[in-house]
Amino acid sequence: LNKKDLFAEKLASGKPITLCPYFKNYQGPENGFDETTSFIKDAFTSKNRHQEDKSIFTHLTCATDQNNVEKVFNDVQHIIIENSLMSAGLM
């Protein structure tokens, strides 16, 4: 989920996520960054119809924040390596 900085600005300016039809049933604090992003993450991950076989990993990012982007790439690399090792029976 990219542009977390812009999302935080929109929340702070009084624009609730309930303006988006998909998130109209959100009941938490209107300007709570952690609560709203958690709700959005849950909305995306709940669409996974094959939770036994496939995992969805969500990250909040700001593409202009090099440290944040590096962390996301490291996390993705770790997941890929771990899945490869498990597929090969080495874990």
Side-chain angles (χ1 to χ4, degrees):
L1 305 174
N2 194 21
K3 300 189 180 188
K4 69 179 183 178
D5 54 330
L6 298 179
F7 181 69
E9 286 177 20
K10 289 208 182 261
L11 290 176
S13 73
K15 293 182 179 144
I17 67 169
T18 53
L19 291 175
C20 175
Y22 190 77
F23 304 130
K24 66 182 178 204
N25 60 345
Y26 174 72
Q27 299 291 317
E30 286 190 0
N31 63 348
F33 181 80
D34 292 336
E35 295 87 355
T36 55
T37 54
S38 179
F39 181 83
I40 293 169
K41 285 180 180 183
D42 290 344
F44 277 97
T45 57
S46 71
K47 297 297 181 184
N48 184 359
R49 295 184 184 151
H50 305 284
Q51 293 181 7
E52 322 74 48
D53 304 329
K54 301 197 184 248
S55 299
I56 295 175
F57 300 94
T58 56
H59 296 275
L60 299 173
T61 62
C62 176
T64 58
D65 180 348
Q66 185 175 356
N67 291 330
N68 182 250
V69 172
E70 187 174 332
K71 182 193 179 323
V72 171
F73 277 112
N74 287 338
D75 289 350
V76 170
Q77 183 180 25
H78 175 78
I79 292 165
I80 292 169
I81 291 170
E82 188 174 276
N83 285 342
S84 295
L85 292 172
M86 289 174 66
S87 294
L90 299 173
M91 280 185 73

